[in-house]
Amino acid sequence: MTLSRLTFIAALSAAAPSFAAEALRPLNFANDIVPILTKGSCNSGGCHGKSGGQNGFKLSLLGFEPQEDYEHIVKEARGRRVFPAAAEQSLLLTKGTAQLPHGGGKKLDPNSEDYADLARWIREGMPYGKDSDPKMASISVEPAKLTMPLKGVQQLKVTAHYTDGSTRDVTKRALYEANEKAMAETSETGRVQLFDLPGDVAVMVRYQGKVSTFRATVPLGAPVEKLPASRGFVDDLVFAKLKTIGMPPSDIADDGTFIRRVTLDITGRLPTAAEMKDFMASKDAAKRSALIDRLLDSPEYAEYFANKWSALLRNQRTQPVFARGSYLFWQWIRDSIADNKPYDKFVREVVAAAGDIDQNPPVAWYRQVKEMKQQMEDVAQLFLGTRMQCAQCHHHPFEKWSQQDYYGFAAFFSNVSRKPSIFVGEELIFNKRGVAQTTNIRTKEAVTPTSLGGPSLKLKPEQDPRLALADWMSSKDNPFFAHTLVNRYWKHFFNRGLVEPEDDMRETNPPVNPELLSALAADFVKSGYDLKQLIRTITNSTTYQLSAVPNTYNAKDRQNFSRYYPKRLNAEVLYDSVNTLLDVQTNFAGQAPGTRAVALPDNSYNQSTYFLSVFGRPDSSSACECERTQEASLAQSLHLLNAAEIQTQLSRGNGRADTLTKDTRPDDDKIADLYHIALSRDPNAAEIKFARTHLDKKTAGKTGDEAFKGKKEAYEDILWALLNTKEFLFNH
């Protein structure tokens, strides 16, 4: 026998005791059994974890309450679910392996390690475990970050770390989910398979209430030899990322495209033909920055962004008596934006609002968000990018927030009170003196105000907890506040947040460019929470000014900002743009003639104006941007193609078609005017020829009134065709 063989036998002998020790390690219900149930989806919301359970068997959602699960499994159903004398005959195993009929189908393989552990646990008398048993503290995933090729494969390893310092490989029992389904898929055992899209993808790993993340950078690998000039840190960080993944950016957009894009994005309107011509003719090297400043100083900017914030702050007119209050709230939002009120002050005045609507319009927010829990959830989602709703009943499945965190954060609003105002249907909002606290519905313990991830606060009875909350949110080292706002505004301008969705800023949903998000947030805080300065930073960047036309390499890019991502005009902007093109003055009930749709104060106009409803204007019933519908639909297409409203506006007297018909200028000039108004560019030769051919066809052989009628119909057709083009319907 060789020395190497003796060495090998010795190594096996030395290892044998540890294998035996692992085999004989006492099983702990929370550490060993619950993860098996979670892996099999037994305690998911669609199975026994849903409210009320399934077919008489209830488990806590995702196993966050193991003590309750133990009671349900071991002590209910007269002990039929587990049978120590013949473990393999236990319902837990016979149904899990589908030996007996099971609505959830087969969840266990009789030859698997999971089955063996369940059977051993039952044979050993179903121990729950000792109080002295180690608890799981965290999980880690290896590798945590990796650069991988297109269509690459990587096996992950997940390790659980326990309070006694021990570790355990839990790869087979962890759960995996990719955040970009178009970029990667994962197997049940942690195998990551990439597709053929470059960029960044994260895989969320969950095990026993703990989460971790694997991030893969997937280069395209194309040469990036020539980059446009950088105009600041935004470009530096975007271009660095493009170099890393090998993706050349598109060219810079031309002046006509830029003025239309930035005017729509900042003011929610089309540039006028005169504005376009002056901008195109200007030789000033700084004309784009000057245009941005002019737009930010315009009343249209305040109206457009007031429309955005009014929807997010639930400014609804659900009753006629709410009309006064909803208008005052909208007016306060508009004036705050026009005055460039610092964002932290704006938020403080909403969250800590007190008094009546007449003197302090932000109290209107409390009219729609009446309950303490709802107030907390809206503040967390809207201003901190954190969705706390799940944590009300159980530990957040994708985050670290527990029920204790939920009720601690809700306690900031525990003393908000109200009483009738002198105005019918309105209320006075005030903070009731007393100890601020709420009760955890599970532990029945009192919980005092607690910031997310921070210690409980001891406030005096006369202190308003909401002011303490506002102080914490606006502190320069707050990890949520500034990051959430800059991400929200980045998405407004790029049609894609650095984090998606824009109000889901959790550790397991990382940004596609973490350095850029952090830099934007830091700059925003440094500026004193200056919203106009943030918009200048974004729109003055070369990244924002890139063309939407893809090059050879970046047609599939949706997360690296190598080009501008076109976005459909939202309902209000499209409505106003159609009216501008058709030269129609709008008339909304209770508003001055000519009021823009983006300047409407509340949601009440959605029902009276079908256009706004069908194109997805939000009803302001939640604090989520997702309420606004951006997807195209058949109803929208049909409305633009043949709605009576559109046809009436096209053909009406003194409308655009009628005016152009009466205009004695050459048709080529009038056709150019239409392109200037609709698309902010000159028509090309083919477009002019096509339009003139149609005009000639409609007037051929006609004189007098018949010729006038034919030409008017021709201009109606040209207008109709323009407003149905993607170039008009999208900001690009």
Side-chain angles (χ1 to χ4, degrees):
M1 186 176 290
T2 64
L3 181 61
S4 60
R5 288 179 179 176
L6 287 170
T7 303
F8 180 65
I9 291 172
L12 284 177
S13 299
S18 65
F19 291 141
E22 176 64 16
L24 296 175
R25 176 181 57 82
L27 293 172
N28 177 287
F29 180 76
N31 290 343
D32 299 296
I33 305 305
V34 171
I36 298 173
L37 302 176
T38 304
K39 183 71 173 182
S41 301
C42 305
N43 52 26
S44 68
C47 198
H48 298 289
K50 70 180 181 181
S51 178
Q54 183 94 314
N55 296 327
F57 181 25
K58 178 174 173 23
L59 293 171
S60 65
L61 187 64
L62 302 180
F64 289 127
E65 300 298 333
Q67 185 65 56
E68 292 183 8
D69 293 342
Y70 183 81
E71 298 284 329
H72 293 314
I73 293 172
V74 175
K75 299 182 180 181
E76 288 182 357
R78 296 181 233 172
R80 294 187 306 123
R81 292 183 181 131
V82 284
F83 187 37
E88 288 73 11
Q89 300 305 312
S90 301
L91 284 179
L92 194 65
L93 295 179
T94 55
K95 287 214 167 193
T97 55
Q99 296 176 56
L100 291 179
H102 180 222
K106 185 176 180 179
K107 297 294 185 182
L108 275 174
D109 183 344
N111 298 314
S112 68
E113 182 181 338
D114 289 348
Y115 181 93
D117 278 358
L118 282 171
R120 180 162 76 91
W121 174 70
I122 297 170
R123 282 196 300 269
E124 292 176 354
M126 298 84 66
Y128 182 80
K130 302 175 183 178
D131 291 340
S132 58
D133 286 349
K135 306 292 190 298
M136 198 182 72
S138 64
I139 63 171
S140 61
V141 58
E142 297 176 75
K145 190 175 182 180
L146 194 65
T147 298
M148 296 175 61
L150 295 170
K151 298 184 179 179
V153 177
Q154 176 63 42
Q155 175 63 50
L156 303 181
K157 178 184 178 182
V158 183
T159 303
H161 301 266
Y162 294 87
T163 52
D164 64 349
S166 64
T167 61
R168 191 180 305 167
D169 185 341
V170 295
T171 303
K172 293 182 179 179
R173 290 182 183 168
L175 298 170
Y176 306 89
E177 183 178 356
N179 69 337
E180 294 280 356
K181 302 296 190 296
M183 289 188 66
E185 66 179 5
T186 58
S187 72
E188 291 187 353
T189 55
R191 183 177 181 271
V192 181
Q193 171 69 64
L194 299 181
F195 301 138
D196 60 350
L197 289 178
D200 281 88
V201 63
V203 173
M204 178 181 63
V205 182
R206 289 192 288 131
Y207 180 76
Q208 205 177 333
K210 303 296 182 183
V211 291
S212 188
T213 306
F214 162 71
R215 291 190 63 197
T217 297
V218 189
L220 178 65
V224 184
E225 299 170 347
K226 186 178 179 181
L227 288 167
S230 171
R231 295 170 60 88
F233 71 87
V234 169
D235 297 328
D236 292 342
L237 294 169
V238 171
F239 293 165
K241 177 73 177 296
L242 294 179
K243 284 183 178 179
T244 298
I245 65 171
M247 182 178 289
S250 293
D251 295 330
I252 294 177
D254 60 59
D255 282 345
T257 299
F258 177 75
I259 187 175
R260 187 178 191 270
R261 176 190 300 174
V262 76
T263 304
L264 284 167
D265 275 348
I266 292 180
T267 64
R269 67 169 176 85
L270 294 170
T272 66
E275 288 173 328
M276 186 218 72
K277 291 176 184 177
D278 290 345
F279 186 75
M280 300 277 281
S282 174
K283 303 301 182 183
D284 183 1
K287 66 181 182 181
R288 293 194 178 191
S289 294
L291 170 63
I292 291 166
D293 288 340
R294 286 198 302 273
L295 294 173
L296 287 171
D297 288 337
S298 70
E300 291 95 341
Y301 156 69
E303 289 176 348
Y304 186 36
F305 276 81
N307 179 68
K308 178 185 184 74
W309 282 105
S310 184
L312 291 173
L313 291 169
R314 302 197 192 212
N315 189 24
Q316 290 183 297
R317 193 198 304 185
T318 53
Q319 301 177 32
V321 294
F322 285 2
R324 174 178 169 276
S326 67
Y327 181 79
L328 288 173
F329 191 22
W330 175 85
Q331 188 177 52
W332 175 85
I333 296 171
R334 182 201 60 190
D335 292 347
S336 296
I337 292 171
D339 296 340
N340 202 28
K341 181 178 292 181
Y343 178 66
D344 60 332
K345 184 179 181 183
F346 175 84
V347 173
R348 174 183 290 266
E349 291 179 9
V350 172
V351 172
D356 63 24
I357 290 175
D358 194 52
Q359 299 298 319
N360 193 16
V363 300
W365 182 69
Y366 283 94
R367 182 174 66 189
Q368 299 300 335
V369 190
K370 288 184 174 293
E371 302 298 326
M372 173 187 67
K373 294 175 183 178
Q374 193 178 49
Q375 292 155 8
M376 180 277 287
E377 291 172 3
D378 271 31
V379 166
Q381 183 169 349
L382 181 54
F383 301 126
L384 303 174
T386 303
R387 301 181 179 187
M388 295 293 291
Q389 291 88 331
C390 294
Q392 178 181 356
C393 301
H394 53 80
H395 193 292
H396 197 297
F398 309 141
E399 258 286 14
K400 58 188 177 183
W401 310 124
S402 65
Q403 278 185 299
Q404 189 74 359
D405 295 315
Y406 180 94
Y407 289 100
F409 201 55
F412 282 108
F413 299 92
S414 58
N415 285 348
V416 174
S417 301
R418 58 190 74 223
K419 61 183 179 181
S421 167
I422 60 173
F423 296 99
V424 176
E426 295 179 5
E427 297 172 314
L428 287 163
I429 302 298
F430 63 97
N431 181 69
K432 180 178 63 178
R433 179 186 172 92
V435 177
Q437 63 181 31
T438 188
T439 302
N440 186 321
I441 60 171
R442 186 171 296 278
T443 66
K444 310 302 180 186
E445 295 177 353
V447 187
T448 56
T450 308
S451 59
L452 295 179
S456 296
L457 303 181
K458 303 300 181 185
L459 302 175
K460 296 178 181 178
E462 64 272 17
Q463 286 183 275
D464 188 337
R466 299 174 301 163
L467 294 173
L469 172 61
D471 289 340
W472 170 75
M473 287 198 296
S474 61
S475 61
K476 64 180 181 180
D477 56 350
N478 186 292
F480 313 105
F481 187 65
H483 289 73
T484 298
L485 187 281
V486 299
N487 186 60
R488 189 182 294 278
Y489 270 46
W490 184 271
K491 180 169 184 176
H492 173 88
F493 288 98
F494 284 95
N495 197 28
R496 205 267 186 220
L498 293 164
V499 175
E500 279 289 328
E502 66 272 28
D503 54 6
D504 193 11
M505 309 280 287
R506 50 189 161 84
E507 293 178 10
T508 50
N509 187 31
V512 294
N513 194 325
E515 296 79 12
L516 177 56
L517 180 63
S518 296
L520 281 167
D523 190 65
F524 183 49
V525 174
K526 184 179 178 181
S527 74
Y529 299 98
D530 188 325
L531 289 169
K532 283 189 177 182
Q533 182 56 38
L534 173 63
I535 294 174
R536 289 190 187 94
T537 298
I538 292 173
T539 54
N540 274 305
S541 70
T542 301
T543 303
Y544 175 76
Q545 298 180 24
L546 293 174
S547 172
V549 179
N551 55 35
T552 305
Y553 303 102
N554 66 359
K556 294 182 179 180
D557 177 35
R558 283 292 299 142
Q559 59 169 227
N560 301 293
F561 310 103
S562 62
R563 59 186 175 87
Y564 184 83
Y565 303 141
K567 54 181 179 284
R568 201 199 70 189
L569 303 185
N570 67 37
E572 302 93 313
V573 175
L574 181 57
Y575 185 78
D576 291 334
S577 298
V578 169
N579 288 336
T580 297
L581 180 59
L582 302 186
D583 195 17
V584 174
Q585 178 174 277
T586 57
N587 288 288
F588 294 104
Q591 300 295 316
T595 297
R596 296 195 303 157
V598 298
L600 295 173
D602 55 55
N603 69 315
S604 62
Y605 299 89
N606 293 3
Q607 299 305 315
S608 60
T609 309
Y610 179 72
F611 189 107
L612 298 179
S613 177
V614 76
F615 279 92
R617 186 173 191 250
D619 197 43
S620 307
S621 60
S622 76
C624 184
E625 297 256 21
C626 59
E627 192 179 320
R628 179 179 290 281
T629 303
Q630 287 293 91
E631 290 76 18
S633 69
L634 179 60
Q636 295 166 0
S637 299
L638 291 174
H639 189 78
L640 289 173
L641 287 169
N642 59 15
E645 175 189 7
I646 300 293
Q647 299 304 319
T648 299
Q649 303 293 19
L650 278 167
S651 60
R652 74 180 185 85
N654 296 321
R656 183 78 64 186
D658 189 58
T659 303
L660 289 173
T661 305
K662 295 173 181 175
D663 193 332
T664 57
R665 291 181 301 152
D667 284 327
D668 285 9
D669 292 345
K670 293 185 284 186
I671 293 167
D673 283 351
L674 291 181
Y675 276 77
H676 294 163
I677 295 167
L679 307 177
S680 298
R681 67 170 176 85
D682 291 321
N684 59 41
E687 289 166 334
I688 290 178
K689 181 180 178 180
F690 188 82
R692 287 188 61 185
T693 299
H694 188 67
L695 285 163
D696 293 343
K697 178 182 177 181
K698 284 284 190 177
T699 56
K702 297 177 182 177
T703 59
D705 290 344
E706 287 297 313
F708 181 89
K709 182 180 178 182
K711 177 167 278 194
K712 183 169 182 277
E713 288 179 354
Y715 274 116
E716 290 172 14
D717 293 342
I718 295 169
L719 283 164
W720 177 86
L722 275 173
L723 68 85
N724 277 285
T725 62
K726 286 186 178 179
E727 191 175 356
F728 178 77
L729 297 173
F730 280 74
N731 191 5
H732 48 81

